[in-house]
Amino acid sequence: MPQLNPTPWFAIMLFSWFIFLTILPPKVMAHTYPNEPSPQNTQTLKTKSWTWPWH
């Protein structure tokens, strides 16, 4: 099995991680949603017990 020279691939990997960690996160974090989510109800719902017979 032929071995690849790691020098160019290592540089490509480092450059791609540099881009991923420095350029992309600010672009992703700057994204805003058109509508901010708001809570529908602040009331707690009253639940009923399960009354089915167990046979």
Side-chain angles (χ1 to χ4, degrees):
M1 182 175 197
Q3 298 296 320
L4 294 174
N5 184 7
T7 306
W9 301 110
F10 187 70
I12 291 169
M13 183 192 71
L14 287 180
F15 185 67
S16 63
W17 274 106
F18 174 76
I19 289 174
F20 287 145
L21 294 177
T22 58
I23 296 173
L24 291 179
K27 289 181 178 283
V28 172
M29 296 302 290
H31 177 74
T32 58
Y33 293 102
N35 298 320
E36 290 294 325
S38 61
Q40 297 293 325
N41 282 336
T42 56
Q43 300 173 350
T44 57
L45 298 175
K46 191 172 185 180
T47 59
K48 297 179 181 178
S49 62
W50 193 11
T51 59
W52 293 1
W54 292 87
H55 293 292

